Amino acid sequence: MNHSPTELKKDLKIRHITMISLGGIIGAGLFVGSGSLINMAGPASIFSYALAGLLVILVMRMLGEMSMVNPSSGSFATYAREALGPWAGYTIGWLYWFFWVIVIAVEAIAGANIIQYWFPSLPSWSVSLILTFLLTLTNLYSVKSFGEFEYWFSLIKVVSIGLFLILGGAIIFGFFPGVESPGTSNLMHHGGFFPNGISAIFLGITLVMFSFMGSEIVATAAGETPDPEKAITVATNSVIYRILIFYLGSILVLVTLLPWNSQDLLKSPFVSVLEMVNIPAAAQIMNFIVLTAVLSCLNSGLYTSSRMLLTMAQNGDAPRMFLKINKKGVPVQAILGCTVISYISVAFNYLSPDKIFLFLVNASGGVALLVYLVIAFSQLRLRRKYEKENPGALRIRMWLFPYLTYATIIAISAIFIAMAFIDSLRSQFFLTLLIAVLVVGSFFLKKNSRSADAVSKEKKQMTI
């Protein structure tokens, strides 16, 4: 084994990065969760997605700017450390790691529930563990195998959404034989475009932000490509049309074809559209696509959390055992460390689903917003540093700096604070704050402990 932290293999290709960037934000939340949001905000839910998407585009632009100057597998934890100090890198690194190891468990459980649709006799807990184990193997084999699996998972998602948009467009414009176009009736009737008022749009933004989590993974992956600058450029420039086409396009089709107050939306909006045109086995097809999205998220979660753990070990924020990298350039211990925590979390789901596991899930709920907030603060500080020290490296620049950066910070802060006033999100807000405070506290306890050890050693040397 090699203890050097510099030997991650640069085996991810541009096609891997391109497809990861395209499919990274297409998760089960779009296929399943979009229905409940439309049911809450009506056709105006498209504004919720548009405003949340705009914030993600701005955050990704900031991340792209910093990644272009300093490509790193630690991504924003590295930038937070450089911009705001060791405590910020430590805190956001552990919070982000915590978020993804919980996501791994959540996605494994979701995948097991989907597979039970076809094989009801299989126990859900065993399927969860098998899915995690199999995708752990792909991550352990090589970074290229992770990239290849993610490439095909993302391709399936992208092609599925593309075909859905073509199908939806054909129905809307009356080109699909035997199916009457609803025109604008579902947009303007049933209470109008804003059936539940403007406030529902802003409530929707708080829910939508979590659907976009994962778009930042590509910045981590760029550190393991032979041409990180090209990878970062592709990811940063494509985020706009990714959100426009995949999210806004899909939501526009759904709100046009289905009444916003239809119970079919709560069941599965995509299945309902497929059933409109009598596509056989519509539910089966959508189950397969959602399973692909779940496995993609599980695969990415293992990759991202392990790289974050490796970076923290490099900075002395995690045990040195996680520094080990094998001959294939894979941080084996870091991957296994993340997997073990996820196995424990899956076990908690079956031992205490309404207490311990629910606590873990809720405690990770607001981490996405804290991560985006730290990215914005880091860019604010580092941009000025780069302009003084290395202006030529700023080949990607945040638009209208610093005004859009300030606007993004204010908007994300407002969304995070709003969680405290929303019944369904209040527990996530306070538990995320609790975990954040505990992590920050652990940093200063660790720092004081090190200082005490250093003083003790110095006294011993003086005595000798």
Side-chain angles (χ1 to χ4, degrees):
M1 289 283 184
N2 193 326
H3 284 71
S4 168
T6 59
E7 294 191 9
L8 289 172
K9 286 287 180 70
K10 310 278 187 179
D11 281 346
L12 288 178
K13 299 177 181 177
I14 294 300
R15 70 178 179 89
H16 293 144
I17 293 293
T18 303
M19 198 52 69
I20 290 170
S21 69
L22 285 172
I25 60 170
I26 305 173
L30 173 62
F31 295 114
V32 181
S34 55
S36 59
L37 180 60
I38 294 170
N39 204 254
M40 179 189 73
S45 56
I46 191 147
F47 289 120
S48 299
Y49 279 94
L51 292 170
L54 177 60
L55 284 177
V56 172
I57 288 168
L58 295 175
V59 169
M60 283 297 294
R61 186 75 184 182
M62 297 179 213
L63 190 55
E65 177 183 292
M66 295 183 289
S67 300
M68 185 64 82
V69 178
N70 179 22
S72 168
S73 61
S75 189
F76 44 82
T78 301
Y79 311 136
R81 171 176 285 271
E82 184 183 355
L84 307 172
W87 72 271
Y90 175 95
T91 301
I92 209 64
W94 278 115
L95 284 176
Y96 192 67
W97 174 85
F98 172 67
F99 172 84
W100 277 110
V101 292
I102 299 304
V103 165
I104 293 167
V106 170
E107 298 297 336
I109 293 162
N113 292 338
I114 294 168
I115 289 172
Q116 277 191 314
Y117 179 85
W118 295 301
F119 305 100
S121 61
L122 290 176
S124 183
W125 64 267
S126 64
V127 179
S128 299
L129 297 182
I130 290 168
L131 290 177
T132 306
F133 175 73
L134 290 176
L135 287 172
T136 300
L137 291 181
T138 70
N139 276 265
L140 286 174
Y141 185 73
S142 70
V143 71
K144 187 177 180 181
S145 69
F146 154 75
E148 207 60 44
F149 269 83
E150 199 55 34
Y151 175 86
W152 290 106
F153 285 148
S154 295
L155 184 62
I156 291 170
K157 292 189 290 183
V158 169
V159 170
S160 300
I161 291 291
L163 292 174
F164 175 79
L165 292 175
I166 293 170
L167 174 65
I171 297 172
I172 291 168
F173 293 106
F175 297 145
F176 200 95
V179 180
E180 186 178 348
S181 170
T184 59
S185 62
N186 290 325
L187 298 174
M188 300 305 173
H189 301 166
H190 311 287
F193 198 79
F194 301 92
N196 295 320
I198 301 292
S199 60
I201 296 174
F202 295 101
L203 176 60
I205 294 172
T206 60
L207 302 171
V208 171
M209 287 299 293
F210 306 113
S211 299
F212 290 118
M213 194 65 172
S215 54
E216 73 291 334
I217 290 173
V218 73
T220 300
E224 291 182 66
T225 65
D227 190 355
E229 288 191 10
K230 185 175 180 181
I232 291 162
T233 303
V234 166
T236 305
N237 292 338
S238 66
V239 69
I240 298 173
Y241 66 77
R242 277 186 275 156
I243 290 172
L244 277 175
I245 295 172
F246 298 135
Y247 267 89
L248 298 190
S250 297
I251 301 303
L252 183 59
V253 167
L254 291 175
V255 297
T256 305
L257 292 181
L258 300 170
W260 67 269
N261 52 359
S262 167
Q263 289 303 305
D264 289 339
L265 280 168
L266 295 176
K267 181 181 70 175
S268 176
F270 286 80
V271 170
S272 299
V273 171
L274 296 182
E275 288 176 343
M276 281 178 68
V277 294
N278 298 316
I279 290 180
Q284 302 271 17
I285 293 169
M286 191 49 59
N287 256 5
F288 172 74
I289 295 169
V290 173
L291 178 62
T292 302
V294 164
L295 294 179
S296 172
C297 193
L298 178 52
N299 192 39
S300 295
L302 282 164
Y303 171 80
T304 310
S305 57
S306 65
R307 270 37 176 200
M308 188 58 73
L309 192 55
L310 172 65
T311 299
M312 289 190 294
Q314 291 171 1
N315 292 326
D317 294 335
R320 289 185 59 80
M321 62 180 286
F322 297 121
L323 283 172
K324 293 183 179 180
I325 299 172
N326 68 11
K327 292 179 181 178
K328 290 185 176 181
V330 175
V332 175
Q333 255 82 339
I335 293 172
L336 293 177
C338 299
T339 305
V340 167
I341 299 298
S342 293
Y343 286 147
I344 294 170
S345 298
V346 169
F348 280 148
N349 182 57
Y350 297 101
L351 296 173
S352 182
D354 58 338
K355 291 180 182 176
I356 300 175
F357 187 72
L358 186 63
F359 169 82
L360 292 173
V361 172
N362 283 336
S364 66
V367 169
L369 292 171
L370 292 181
V371 167
Y372 290 155
L373 201 56
V374 167
I375 290 172
F377 274 113
S378 300
Q379 188 267 340
L380 191 64
R381 181 73 62 87
L382 291 178
R383 169 65 173 269
R384 293 183 173 119
K385 180 184 176 184
Y386 296 152
E387 285 178 333
K388 288 179 181 177
E389 298 176 1
N390 191 12
L394 288 166
R395 286 180 287 278
I396 292 177
R397 291 172 179 260
M398 177 59 181
W399 305 296
L400 296 176
F401 178 83
Y403 308 109
L404 274 182
T405 301
Y406 283 126
T408 304
I409 289 171
I410 292 168
I412 293 172
S413 300
I415 293 169
F416 185 65
I417 293 169
M419 289 175 64
F421 300 95
I422 299 170
D423 291 341
S424 60
L425 299 177
R426 188 174 294 119
S427 61
Q428 293 186 23
F429 172 81
F430 286 110
L431 287 174
T432 299
L433 271 188
L434 173 64
I435 295 294
V437 168
L438 290 175
V439 172
V440 173
S442 71
F443 170 82
F444 289 103
L445 283 174
K446 183 180 176 185
K447 184 181 177 182
N448 292 337
S449 176
R450 283 180 176 176
S451 299
D453 288 343
V455 170
S456 177
K457 285 180 182 178
E458 191 176 333
K459 285 182 178 178
K460 283 182 181 178
Q461 289 174 350
M462 291 173 67
T463 304
I464 293 170

